[in-house]
Amino acid sequence: MKKPAIMIPEGLREVLLHACCAPCSSAIVEWMVQHDVRPVIFYYNPNVWPREEYEIRKSESKRHAESLGLRWIDGDYDHEQWRQDVCGLENEPERGKRCDACFTLRLTVAARKAKELGIRYFTTTLASSRWKSLEQIERAGHLAEQAVNGVSQKGQSPLCDPVTFWAQNWRKGGLYERRNQLLKEFNFYNQQYCGCEFSQRK
């Protein structure tokens, strides 16, 4: 029997979905709802620059969630803090160490929000982009999971309500193609760069 392209972790009925933008969220959210998984959409992207670009992306993400009656949470925008977090990595190439730091920051905040809300699983729409490294995203997700759960050097996790990163390739199962269809159906604003000022460089 062929293995499904997308595997739902056992017992998962609700998930905190870190959303980078509405276009990347759309097919993932649709798939989740169709498979009895309720996403809580968490928009946290302090990397996005300039502020006007951030506000457009945020507005589109909120519009999409509200059209589906889903809970949508606005993360804080602090680009200056993000700049401090990636200081010294400005000249790294795309898929380099700057992206590692950026993904880890954003997913750690997402994991913290999931724990705060009592949601056992979190995942990210970053894994839907063909421009991103799935290995980097998965590594960042597991680092976030460990940081929030307080994993010790001996690898021991706390007994109280740990959160788990749902590592999934969200390009599979026809979702990338469906994303492009929904992009047109919702008439989403579709950005042409990752988000930060460094990703705009040629």
Side-chain angles (χ1 to χ4, degrees), residues 18-173:
H18 166 259
C20 58
C21 64
C24 288
S25 304
S26 57
I28 298 171
V29 167
E30 181 181 73
W31 186 93
M32 287 179 173
V33 171
Q34 290 173 348
H35 289 81
D36 298 321
V37 173
R38 187 163 186 85
V40 172
I41 300 174
F42 182 55
Y43 185 82
Y44 178 70
N45 303 290
N47 59 303
V48 178
W49 181 90
R51 181 65 184 253
E52 293 77 12
E53 175 77 16
Y54 171 85
E55 292 296 342
I56 292 170
R57 296 188 192 194
K58 183 176 84 168
S59 177
E60 288 289 79
S61 177
K62 186 177 183 181
R63 173 171 75 89
H64 175 235
E66 289 180 345
S67 74
L68 300 173
L70 296 173
R71 185 177 182 185
W72 181 90
I73 300 171
D74 183 8
D76 292 333
Y77 180 71
D78 190 344
H79 188 68
E80 287 307 311
Q81 180 60 55
W82 178 85
R83 285 291 302 265
Q84 291 179 34
D85 291 332
V86 299
C87 183
L89 304 173
E90 294 87 349
N91 294 317
E92 282 285 315
E94 287 296 287
R95 299 190 176 206
K97 292 180 181 178
R98 185 182 65 252
C99 293
D100 278 323
C102 180
F103 296 159
T104 301
L105 166 68
R106 291 152 76 191
L107 294 184
T108 299
V109 172
R112 195 174 297 129
K113 178 58 69 172
K115 193 157 195 174
E116 175 190 319
L117 297 173
I119 299 174
R120 288 180 53 204
Y121 289 92
F122 70 103
T123 191
T124 179
T125 63
L126 291 167
S128 70
S129 171
R130 60 193 178 97
W131 305 111
K132 300 287 187 295
S133 163
L134 292 172
E135 291 76 16
Q136 278 187 311
I137 293 164
E138 184 167 348
R139 182 166 60 247
H142 288 306
L143 285 172
E145 175 187 295
Q146 292 169 17
V148 171
N149 288 333
V151 175
S152 70
Q153 291 182 342
K154 294 181 180 179
Q156 296 175 329
S157 300
L159 298 176
C160 59
D161 302 324
V163 294
T164 301
F165 180 60
W166 180 7
Q168 175 62 53
N169 181 349
W170 293 109
R171 304 169 200 165
K172 290 188 173 182

